[in-house]
Amino acid sequence: MIQSVIAVLLTAFARYLAGKFFGKLKTKAEATQSYWDDALLAAGQKPFFLFIWIVGLSWSAEEIWKGTGNSLFERLLSFRDLLVIVLFCWVFFSFIKALEHHFLQVDRKKKLDQTSVIALCRLMRVAVIITGVLVAMQALGYSLSGILAFGGVGGLAVGFAAKDMLANFFGGWMIYLDKPFRVGDWVSSPEKK
């Protein structure tokens, strides 16, 4: 029990030191003109603090588990891996959200296409979700090779069944990339009146 109390005290001290360290990093990041470091620092601060507490408390739980042999603590330790994955996904989500806000609201001088910024940020969020789910399934003990093989075969079956829908999707994607018109423009066709 003494070792678990020491682990909690060391965790609290590490959290205090991390707060001081992030404070100094924040002042240095604000001195630069780049927005990327500010966004990354803001996105990673809270998840890093929670990461310190998760590691410290799981260390304390591991010490208690060694002393008592209770199986409840073993389940908590397997849950720790899942929480760490969620924290990493939180960092990426917050970073993407901060960049999207910056490019849509603050950085209007560059005249970026708002639709492209929104589409790219949504695509990055979907990639973070898919990657997080796959890594979480691997951490929980599922075999990814079977899941990916099933996804490949399922994608092939859906591709053959929905070839017209996919043709329309890729046609729309090409129109989106060529940008012959923007949101708010009137489009008329000589065949439709």
Side-chain angles (χ1 to χ4, degrees):
M1 284 304 245
I2 293 175
Q3 292 175 343
S4 64
V5 171
I6 291 172
V8 171
L9 291 176
L10 285 175
T11 302
F13 183 67
R15 166 57 182 90
Y16 171 76
L17 289 178
K20 293 289 187 183
F21 180 70
F22 267 94
K24 289 184 179 184
L25 278 180
K26 188 174 182 180
T27 56
K28 288 187 178 188
E30 288 173 350
T32 64
Q33 292 188 6
S34 174
Y35 180 73
W36 294 84
D37 54 355
D38 297 333
L40 186 61
L41 194 62
Q45 186 173 2
K46 287 181 183 178
F48 186 73
F49 292 158
L50 284 174
F51 175 75
I52 290 173
W53 281 110
I54 288 171
V55 169
L57 293 178
S58 66
W59 179 26
S60 176
E62 190 173 0
E63 293 299 325
I64 293 173
W65 175 51
K66 286 178 183 176
T68 61
N70 193 348
S71 65
L72 174 67
F73 292 110
E74 185 177 359
R75 291 186 184 145
L76 287 175
L77 292 178
S78 65
F79 186 64
R80 170 191 61 189
D81 299 336
L82 191 62
L83 285 176
V84 170
I85 294 167
V86 169
L87 289 178
F88 275 107
C89 290
W90 182 12
V91 169
F92 287 119
F93 258 81
S94 300
F95 184 63
I96 293 168
K97 183 179 178 182
L99 289 179
E100 181 181 20
H101 174 72
H102 177 71
F103 287 122
L104 289 179
Q105 304 296 329
V106 179
D107 207 7
R108 290 189 173 261
K109 297 175 190 173
K110 293 183 180 178
K111 301 281 185 187
L112 295 174
D113 184 29
Q114 291 184 353
T115 310
S116 297
V117 171
I118 291 170
L120 186 62
C121 289
R122 285 182 183 170
L123 184 65
M124 288 191 296
R125 284 188 190 110
V126 168
V128 168
I129 289 172
I130 291 172
T131 305
V133 167
L134 289 176
V135 172
M137 290 177 76
Q138 180 74 26
L140 292 175
Y142 294 104
S143 173
L144 283 184
S145 59
I147 293 170
L148 293 176
F150 176 73
V153 171
L156 186 65
V158 168
F160 281 129
K163 65 180 178 179
D164 292 335
M165 183 185 73
L166 288 174
N168 289 336
F169 173 76
F170 285 115
W173 187 252
M174 291 308 296
I175 290 173
Y176 173 75
L177 290 177
D178 288 339
K179 293 186 188 348
F181 46 84
R182 295 186 180 268
V183 175
D185 290 349
W186 285 89
V187 179
S188 62
S189 173
E191 296 173 4
K192 302 284 183 180
K193 294 185 181 188

